[in-house]
Amino acid sequence: MSLKKWTETKDTLSFRLAVLYAGIFALTSLLAFSIFYYRIHSLTMGQVDEELLEEVGEFSQVHIGEGIKGVREEMAQEVQEEAPDQIFFRLFSEDGKLLASTDMTPWGELPVSSADIMSASMGDPVIKTVKILSRGHHARVIHAAIGPELILQFGMVLEDVEDYLAAFRNLFIILFVAVFVLSILIGGFMGRKALSDVGKVTNTAREISKGAHDRRVDVSRQYREIRELGETFNSMLDEIQVLIRGMKELNDNVAHDLRSPLTRIRGAAERAIMKDTSSQDFREMAAGIIEESDGLIEIINTMLDITESEVGVMEISRTEFDVTRLAADACEIYRPLADEKGVTLRMEIQGSLMFTGDRKKLQRVLANLLENAIKYSDPGGEVTLSASLDGGMFRFDVRDNGIGIPEGDRPHIFDRFYRSEESRFEAGAGLGLSLAKAFTEAMGGAITVVSTPGSGSVFTVVLPR
């Protein structure tokens, strides 16, 4: 494997998962083996110690029945049966003097501990493992009293025990290496399998970046985590597609709504150039251009206000003011428009209601709602502005008995530049309700509408106190 390919491989998540899996397996296997080996070693040595104690007990019985002579004969007989290189016996007095011994040639120099003899003489058997230098193995040795002032030293080689434990260790090493390699392969396979679905998300994103905006991640038959990732990714794509579609519609609407005033401005300028005009005509043309420009500026400023509100960068001031006074001022401003159309404009607010919020933005929200209600009311109709406290929220209702809103148009009336068929003959750019919704949500509230075609509409604004 080349250095570049190795670098690319080791940086992948699947490789790291495989290494992590193998590492965890190795640590847990070593821990399990250590516990198991310690247990096997303890049980094996426990059996050896039981044999030593049992042998001491038999020699105690021989000493009771036959004395030291019987003990010596029993020592010789035991060694002859087992072989001198397998066991040995030595008999000491309480002061450490050697009284009897079997052939110690296979055992080499085996020192005697006076401390062990003293402990044994006090009735506490002493069992130790000692290294037999001449043989490369260990021996298990016991010092125990078998009679008054008589200490027996008995040892047996641990060659069979050590060979058994060594075979167990070697077997574990072989199995550990084999299973460790297998765990790396399995970990790599599982890592690639688990991350293969992530690759599908990556491939989908790559296709989308090339223009396939309708592509989605298939989340069927996936693990829950991958399914949640895919669903979140698909949801994000849906939102992006909605934004793209909205931007396209916005661009189309902006182009449509700005084209007419720009065309009128250009037409007025062309007429002024192409015909013999007086200064009065130029003044009228300038006034018309100013009026159209003001309309364009208003549309652009409104769009900017809506955008700032929606992205959360608009500054929201919080001052305390009287809602009743604000509502009265709004009604006073639009009363001439209502009178001109023959619509009755009423205000239903009991007493003084103090509200803490952005006065100017709330004023524009109510102004847009009142203007819409008057605009789409028939002569002789009635528009009512009311305000009240609803729990911890302020509630504003603008009610009219005008033409109403068709059911198919209601989901879109807050969209920018949206205008229903009934409203296309009325002046306006279709931004009033969008601005009202943006300002209301920027202040932490919500705006809703209930409408019946032919009977009127009720726009409700709810804001936190």
Side-chain angles (χ1 to χ4, degrees):
M1 179 183 294
S2 65
L3 179 61
K4 181 179 179 182
K5 189 173 181 180
W6 162 249
T7 303
E8 293 175 352
T9 301
K10 73 181 184 64
D11 287 338
T12 60
L13 182 57
S14 59
F15 175 80
R16 296 186 180 186
L17 286 175
V19 173
L20 179 63
Y21 176 81
I24 293 175
F25 173 80
L27 290 176
T28 54
S29 297
L30 287 174
L31 178 62
F33 169 75
S34 300
I35 295 173
F36 186 62
Y37 181 80
Y38 173 77
R39 184 61 178 163
I40 291 294
H41 184 274
S42 298
L43 290 174
T44 303
M45 297 308 293
Q47 292 176 352
V48 172
D49 292 347
E50 287 180 4
E51 292 182 20
L52 296 175
L53 292 171
E54 187 177 309
E55 193 72 21
V56 169
E58 291 178 1
F59 272 91
S60 296
Q61 294 299 321
V62 171
H63 179 262
I64 293 173
E66 303 178 18
I68 293 180
K69 181 181 178 181
V71 171
R72 289 175 177 171
E73 293 175 354
E74 184 68 20
M75 289 167 52
Q77 184 178 351
E78 291 271 349
V79 170
Q80 186 177 3
E81 291 176 355
E82 294 289 338
D85 61 344
Q86 296 298 312
I87 63 174
F88 72 87
F89 294 95
R90 286 196 289 189
L91 195 62
F92 295 95
S93 63
E94 191 176 28
D95 58 3
K97 181 180 179 181
L98 180 62
L99 302 177
S101 175
T102 58
D103 183 10
M104 297 297 293
T105 303
W107 303 90
E109 293 293 332
L110 195 63
V112 179
S113 172
S114 58
D116 293 341
I117 293 178
M118 183 176 296
S119 296
S121 65
M122 297 176 64
D124 297 324
V126 178
I127 302 177
K128 288 184 177 181
T129 299
V130 297
K131 176 71 175 178
I132 308 301
L133 298 176
S134 60
R135 303 180 59 182
H137 286 287
H138 292 81
R140 195 72 167 166
V141 179
I142 185 173
H143 294 76
I146 60 173
E149 301 181 356
L150 198 61
I151 308 300
L152 176 68
Q153 183 189 50
F154 170 46
M156 66 168 57
V157 71
L158 296 177
E159 183 176 355
D160 292 341
V161 173
E162 291 177 341
D163 290 344
Y164 164 72
L165 294 176
F168 176 77
R169 289 194 303 270
N170 294 335
L171 178 62
F172 171 78
I173 292 172
I174 295 173
L175 292 176
F176 175 78
V177 172
V179 177
F180 181 73
V181 174
L182 184 62
S183 70
I184 293 178
L185 298 177
I186 294 176
F189 172 77
M190 293 177 63
R192 287 193 299 271
K193 179 65 176 176
L195 296 175
S196 62
D197 295 327
V198 177
K200 295 179 182 178
V201 178
T202 303
N203 292 333
T204 302
R206 190 175 291 115
E207 292 177 11
I208 291 171
S209 67
K210 295 179 180 179
H213 298 144
D214 59 339
R215 288 281 288 112
R216 294 295 182 270
V217 178
D218 183 12
V219 296
S220 60
R221 300 185 303 277
Q222 305 291 353
Y223 296 111
R224 188 186 69 180
E225 293 83 358
I226 302 299
R227 185 172 65 252
E228 291 177 353
L229 173 63
E231 290 173 350
T232 303
F233 187 74
N234 288 340
S235 177
M236 179 190 69
L237 292 177
D238 291 338
E239 291 292 331
I240 292 174
Q241 194 166 32
V242 169
L243 289 175
I244 292 175
R245 189 182 300 115
M247 290 173 62
K248 184 178 181 301
E249 293 176 356
L250 176 62
N251 291 336
D252 293 341
N253 290 327
V254 169
H256 179 272
D257 282 86
L258 297 186
R259 180 168 39 190
S260 297
L262 289 174
T263 301
R264 288 194 293 270
I265 291 174
R266 179 180 176 83
E270 287 180 346
R271 285 194 302 273
I273 293 174
M274 294 177 64
K275 70 177 184 178
D276 188 15
T277 55
S278 64
S279 59
Q280 179 62 31
D281 292 332
F282 275 113
R283 281 194 293 271
E284 291 177 359
M285 179 195 69
I289 291 176
I290 291 173
E291 183 179 354
E292 295 292 348
S293 298
D294 288 342
L296 290 175
I297 292 172
E298 182 180 358
I299 291 174
I300 294 172
N301 287 337
T302 302
M303 289 173 56
L304 290 174
D305 288 340
I306 293 172
T307 302
E308 288 180 358
S309 298
E310 289 178 344
V311 299
V313 298
M314 175 172 282
E315 182 179 353
I316 303 297
S317 64
R318 293 187 62 81
T319 57
E320 188 176 30
F321 57 90
D322 188 354
V323 168
T324 305
R325 183 68 264 169
L326 178 70
D329 291 343
C331 289
E332 197 63 31
I333 292 172
Y334 284 94
R335 196 173 302 282
L337 178 62
D339 293 341
E340 181 181 346
K341 196 166 183 181
V343 175
T344 302
L345 179 58
R346 300 174 53 231
M347 184 182 77
E348 293 182 352
I349 302 178
Q350 300 296 327
S352 177
L353 294 177
M354 301 305 296
F355 175 74
T356 301
D358 196 311
R359 177 187 179 91
K360 290 183 178 179
K361 290 180 176 54
L362 180 57
Q363 188 176 37
R364 291 186 69 179
V365 170
L366 297 181
N368 281 327
L369 295 179
L370 287 173
E371 182 179 4
N372 265 21
I374 295 170
K375 185 187 300 184
Y376 298 110
S377 293
D378 296 324
E382 183 176 277
V383 174
T384 303
L385 170 61
S386 61
S388 61
L389 279 173
D390 186 4
M393 309 290 285
F394 263 103
R395 177 186 175 118
F396 302 89
D397 292 303
V398 177
R399 183 187 308 272
D400 67 72
N401 54 5
I403 62 175
I405 304 171
E407 184 176 355
D409 292 328
R410 282 175 220 157
H412 309 288
I413 60 173
F414 294 107
D415 296 343
R416 300 183 198 182
F417 296 105
Y418 182 81
R419 304 187 71 184
S420 63
E421 292 298 326
E422 291 80 0
S423 65
R424 290 194 181 275
F425 300 101
E426 297 288 345
L431 293 172
L433 291 180
S434 298
L435 182 69
K437 180 175 183 292
F439 279 7
T440 300
E441 292 180 350
M443 291 186 288
I447 183 170
T448 57
V449 61
V450 176
S451 183
T452 303
S455 299
S457 306
V458 180
F459 284 85
T460 300
V461 175
V462 179
L463 293 169
R465 296 183 64 182

